[in-house]
Amino acid sequence: MKGRGYITQMSFDGYGVLELQKPVHVPFTVIGDLVEVRKTFRRFGRYIAREFEVIEESHLRQRPRCSHFERCGGCFWQHIKYREQLNLKKELFERATGIEAPIKGSPKIWGFRNISNFIVSTRGIGFKQRESQNVVGVKECPIFSNKTSNFLLTLKKFMKEERLMPWDSKQKFGEIHYFSVREGKFTGDVMVNMIAHIKEVPSSFIDYFDFADSIYWSFKDDSRDEPRGIPVLAGGSPYIREKIGDTIYLIHPNSFFQTNSYATHLLLKAVLDFIEGESVFDLYAGVGTFGVYLAKRGLKVEGIEINSPAVEIANKNAEINGVDARFSVGDVKDVEIGDYDTIIVDPPRKGLKEAVKLITKSKVNNLIYISCNPQVFVRDYKHLKENYEIENAVLIDMFPHTSHIEAVIKLKLK
């Protein structure tokens, strides 16, 4: 499909939309751009521009900071002024949910990510292109760390000395698949995790990465393209620490933690502002990110989490912070909710599913729903609205330079 015209809106996943015979999704554009599309391809039932030119630039544009922008798929909106990014996210959220909510920007928009999972491939070390399996080799990552180039240079020297092969995704062969680095933005702690298809840890591994406070070697026994393996501590501490306000969190290679340390305090404060009463039940507790913070403010917290290692860390987090919070292993669909003043849910990407019935049956007066996907929230709310109504909401930008947004939504029992 070919044609020329102005970008008139943004899609939920960040493409500029050009209305031709059918809508065409044009990457790295913004409302107000005049574009000429020369070639498209179809993916998941829609047309995406493959060859195009921006004839006239929108006033919403800025110069991207990263040298890999438009090739690397990590950031999609670096070409849009940050204030305009926030406006667009607010509009997209309202379009998806019908909720008009204020938005709070990230305190930092560069160097904010506390983790980066570099794909180690025969095509380079870096990240995938958008809508592609191709890996773009990178030398920098401005949203992650100013030490990125040093991390990657050390990795390459280590692999060269040990004669380790990068992963070949076509042949399903190789030794090093992912290189994961975490930084405690407020503590300075660094964790290195090598995800490899060999169990034996090379003798020089610890020496090469001695700048890290925690060094892991994770054996990966499958070919799935995800940065996970069975972690074995090779050197240093089993955890690194991150400090959000006055709360300290332990972080393990396979545990989830909010990726933007600087905006996490805004997220926690938004949840706190929506709390009612004194007793809180955290249905997807993870490592206790919300629960420990709330307990530190005098609330009585109990949490449930299906991942047992995460529960172990959550209870350690409660202990090191000296708070009254208790976390248990369990599946939310099997839990009996007792007499609590507030329920917090931060569900996985698939949403609440069976937990919807559990929540509505509990008749807890105050429900706080944390969502990184407005469409999933809308689906869940179709079931929740029989018993709950939306009272308030606030948006927190945890993901600058992307179309993603985190929402904290307060629902009250009817």
Side-chain angles (χ1 to χ4, degrees), residues 378-400:
V378 168
R379 187 183 66 207
D380 284 342
Y381 186 59
K382 286 179 181 177
H383 304 286
L384 290 170
K385 68 181 180 181
E386 294 179 16
N387 297 81
Y388 288 89
E389 59 185 356
I390 297 167
E391 183 177 273
N392 207 343
V394 64
L395 309 179
I396 311 294
D397 187 21
M398 305 291 290
F399 319 101

Short mmCIF file of all heavy atoms in Angstrom, two decimals, residues 378-400:
data_model
loop_
_atom_site.label_atom_id
_atom_site.label_comp_id
_atom_site.label_asym_id
_atom_site.label_seq_id
_atom_site.Cartn_x
_atom_site.Cartn_y
_atom_site.Cartn_z
N VAL A 378 -9.39 -2.67 31.25
CA VAL A 378 -10.76 -2.54 30.73
C VAL A 378 -11.46 -3.90 30.72
O VAL A 378 -12.63 -4.02 31.11
CB VAL A 378 -10.75 -1.93 29.32
CG1 VAL A 378 -12.12 -2.05 28.66
CG2 VAL A 378 -10.33 -0.47 29.39
N ARG A 379 -10.73 -4.92 30.30
CA ARG A 379 -11.30 -6.27 30.29
C ARG A 379 -11.65 -6.74 31.70
O ARG A 379 -12.73 -7.30 31.92
CB ARG A 379 -10.30 -7.24 29.64
CG ARG A 379 -10.86 -8.64 29.41
CD ARG A 379 -9.78 -9.53 28.84
NE ARG A 379 -8.70 -9.76 29.80
CZ ARG A 379 -7.45 -10.03 29.46
NH1 ARG A 379 -7.10 -10.10 28.19
NH2 ARG A 379 -6.53 -10.23 30.38
N ASP A 380 -10.75 -6.49 32.64
CA ASP A 380 -11.02 -6.88 34.02
C ASP A 380 -12.17 -6.08 34.62
O ASP A 380 -12.99 -6.60 35.38
CB ASP A 380 -9.77 -6.71 34.89
CG ASP A 380 -8.73 -7.80 34.65
OD1 ASP A 380 -9.09 -8.85 34.10
OD2 ASP A 380 -7.56 -7.58 35.01
N TYR A 381 -12.23 -4.80 34.27
CA TYR A 381 -13.26 -3.94 34.87
C TYR A 381 -14.67 -4.31 34.40
O TYR A 381 -15.65 -4.04 35.11
CB TYR A 381 -12.96 -2.47 34.56
CG TYR A 381 -13.91 -1.53 35.27
CD1 TYR A 381 -14.00 -1.54 36.67
CD2 TYR A 381 -14.70 -0.65 34.56
CE1 TYR A 381 -14.87 -0.69 37.33
CE2 TYR A 381 -15.57 0.21 35.21
CZ TYR A 381 -15.66 0.18 36.59
OH TYR A 381 -16.53 1.02 37.24
N LYS A 382 -14.77 -4.91 33.24
CA LYS A 382 -16.09 -5.37 32.77
C LYS A 382 -16.72 -6.32 33.78
O LYS A 382 -17.94 -6.38 33.92
CB LYS A 382 -15.95 -6.06 31.41
CG LYS A 382 -15.70 -5.11 30.25
CD LYS A 382 -15.56 -5.86 28.94
CE LYS A 382 -15.29 -4.91 27.77
NZ LYS A 382 -15.09 -5.65 26.50
N HIS A 383 -15.87 -7.08 34.48
CA HIS A 383 -16.36 -8.01 35.50
C HIS A 383 -16.43 -7.34 36.88
O HIS A 383 -17.35 -7.62 37.66
CB HIS A 383 -15.45 -9.24 35.56
CG HIS A 383 -15.31 -9.94 34.25
ND1 HIS A 383 -16.30 -10.71 33.70
CD2 HIS A 383 -14.28 -9.98 33.36
CE1 HIS A 383 -15.91 -11.21 32.54
NE2 HIS A 383 -14.67 -10.77 32.31
N LEU A 384 -15.48 -6.47 37.16
CA LEU A 384 -15.44 -5.83 38.47
C LEU A 384 -16.57 -4.82 38.66
O LEU A 384 -17.02 -4.57 39.79
CB LEU A 384 -14.10 -5.12 38.67
CG LEU A 384 -12.86 -6.01 38.86
CD1 LEU A 384 -11.59 -5.17 38.80
CD2 LEU A 384 -12.93 -6.76 40.19
N LYS A 385 -17.02 -4.19 37.57
CA LYS A 385 -17.97 -3.08 37.70
C LYS A 385 -19.34 -3.49 38.21
O LYS A 385 -20.15 -2.63 38.57
CB LYS A 385 -18.10 -2.33 36.37
CG LYS A 385 -18.76 -3.09 35.26
CD LYS A 385 -18.80 -2.23 34.00
CE LYS A 385 -19.46 -2.94 32.83
NZ LYS A 385 -19.45 -2.08 31.62
N GLU A 386 -19.61 -4.79 38.28
CA GLU A 386 -20.85 -5.24 38.89
C GLU A 386 -20.87 -4.88 40.38
O GLU A 386 -21.94 -4.63 40.96
CB GLU A 386 -21.01 -6.75 38.73
CG GLU A 386 -21.18 -7.20 37.28
CD GLU A 386 -21.30 -8.71 37.18
OE1 GLU A 386 -21.54 -9.35 38.22
OE2 GLU A 386 -21.15 -9.24 36.07
N ASN A 387 -19.68 -4.85 40.98
CA ASN A 387 -19.59 -4.57 42.42
C ASN A 387 -18.79 -3.32 42.75
O ASN A 387 -18.92 -2.78 43.85
CB ASN A 387 -18.95 -5.76 43.15
CG ASN A 387 -19.79 -7.02 43.04
OD1 ASN A 387 -19.73 -7.72 42.04
ND2 ASN A 387 -20.58 -7.32 44.07
N TYR A 388 -17.94 -2.89 41.81
CA TYR A 388 -17.06 -1.75 42.10
C TYR A 388 -17.23 -0.65 41.06
O TYR A 388 -17.56 -0.91 39.90
CB TYR A 388 -15.59 -2.20 42.11
CG TYR A 388 -15.22 -3.05 43.31
CD1 TYR A 388 -15.37 -4.44 43.28
CD2 TYR A 388 -14.73 -2.46 44.47
CE1 TYR A 388 -15.03 -5.21 44.38
CE2 TYR A 388 -14.39 -3.23 45.58
CZ TYR A 388 -14.55 -4.60 45.53
OH TYR A 388 -14.22 -5.36 46.62
N GLU A 389 -16.97 0.57 41.51
CA GLU A 389 -16.97 1.72 40.60
C GLU A 389 -15.67 2.49 40.76
O GLU A 389 -15.08 2.52 41.84
CB GLU A 389 -18.17 2.62 40.86
CG GLU A 389 -18.25 3.19 42.27
CD GLU A 389 -19.53 3.97 42.50
OE1 GLU A 389 -20.30 4.12 41.54
OE2 GLU A 389 -19.75 4.41 43.65
N ILE A 390 -15.24 3.12 39.67
CA ILE A 390 -13.97 3.87 39.69
C ILE A 390 -14.17 5.19 40.43
O ILE A 390 -15.08 5.96 40.11
CB ILE A 390 -13.48 4.12 38.25
CG1 ILE A 390 -13.18 2.79 37.56
CG2 ILE A 390 -12.25 5.03 38.25
CD1 ILE A 390 -12.99 2.90 36.07
N GLU A 391 -13.32 5.43 41.41
CA GLU A 391 -13.41 6.67 42.19
C GLU A 391 -12.30 7.65 41.83
O GLU A 391 -12.51 8.86 41.82
CB GLU A 391 -13.35 6.35 43.68
CG GLU A 391 -13.51 7.59 44.56
CD GLU A 391 -13.53 7.25 46.04
OE1 GLU A 391 -14.61 6.95 46.56
OE2 GLU A 391 -12.45 7.30 46.66
N ASN A 392 -11.11 7.13 41.53
CA ASN A 392 -9.99 8.03 41.26
C ASN A 392 -8.93 7.27 40.47
O ASN A 392 -8.91 6.04 40.45
CB ASN A 392 -9.39 8.55 42.57
CG ASN A 392 -8.73 9.90 42.41
OD1 ASN A 392 -8.42 10.33 41.30
ND2 ASN A 392 -8.49 10.59 43.53
N ALA A 393 -8.03 8.00 39.83
CA ALA A 393 -6.92 7.37 39.09
C ALA A 393 -5.81 8.39 38.89
O ALA A 393 -6.05 9.60 38.83
CB ALA A 393 -7.41 6.85 37.74
N VAL A 394 -4.59 7.88 38.82
CA VAL A 394 -3.43 8.71 38.50
C VAL A 394 -2.49 7.89 37.64
O VAL A 394 -2.39 6.67 37.79
CB VAL A 394 -2.73 9.21 39.79
CG1 VAL A 394 -2.15 8.05 40.59
CG2 VAL A 394 -1.64 10.23 39.46
N LEU A 395 -1.82 8.55 36.70
CA LEU A 395 -0.88 7.89 35.80
C LEU A 395 0.54 8.26 36.19
O LEU A 395 0.83 9.41 36.50
CB LEU A 395 -1.15 8.31 34.35
CG LEU A 395 -2.59 8.19 33.85
CD1 LEU A 395 -2.69 8.68 32.41
CD2 LEU A 395 -3.08 6.76 33.96
N ILE A 396 1.41 7.26 36.18
CA ILE A 396 2.83 7.46 36.48
C ILE A 396 3.64 7.00 35.28
O ILE A 396 3.49 5.86 34.82
CB ILE A 396 3.28 6.65 37.73
CG1 ILE A 396 2.31 6.86 38.90
CG2 ILE A 396 4.71 7.00 38.09
CD1 ILE A 396 2.29 8.25 39.47
N ASP A 397 4.50 7.86 34.77
CA ASP A 397 5.31 7.47 33.61
C ASP A 397 6.56 6.73 34.07
O ASP A 397 7.59 7.33 34.38
CB ASP A 397 5.69 8.67 32.77
CG ASP A 397 6.37 8.25 31.47
OD1 ASP A 397 6.18 7.08 31.08
OD2 ASP A 397 7.08 9.07 30.86
N MET A 398 6.45 5.41 34.08
CA MET A 398 7.58 4.55 34.44
C MET A 398 8.46 4.24 33.22
O MET A 398 9.56 3.72 33.37
CB MET A 398 7.07 3.22 35.02
CG MET A 398 6.13 3.35 36.20
SD MET A 398 6.95 3.94 37.68
CE MET A 398 7.97 2.52 38.09
N PHE A 399 7.97 4.59 32.02
CA PHE A 399 8.63 4.13 30.79
C PHE A 399 8.80 5.27 29.78
O PHE A 399 8.17 5.26 28.72
CB PHE A 399 7.82 2.99 30.15
CG PHE A 399 7.27 2.00 31.14
CD1 PHE A 399 5.94 2.04 31.54
CD2 PHE A 399 8.08 1.02 31.68
CE1 PHE A 399 5.42 1.12 32.44
CE2 PHE A 399 7.58 0.09 32.59
CZ PHE A 399 6.25 0.15 32.98
N PRO A 400 9.63 6.28 30.08
CA PRO A 400 9.85 7.35 29.11
C PRO A 400 10.32 6.81 27.75
O PRO A 400 10.98 5.77 27.68
CB PRO A 400 10.93 8.20 29.77
CG PRO A 400 10.75 7.97 31.23
CD PRO A 400 10.34 6.52 31.35
#
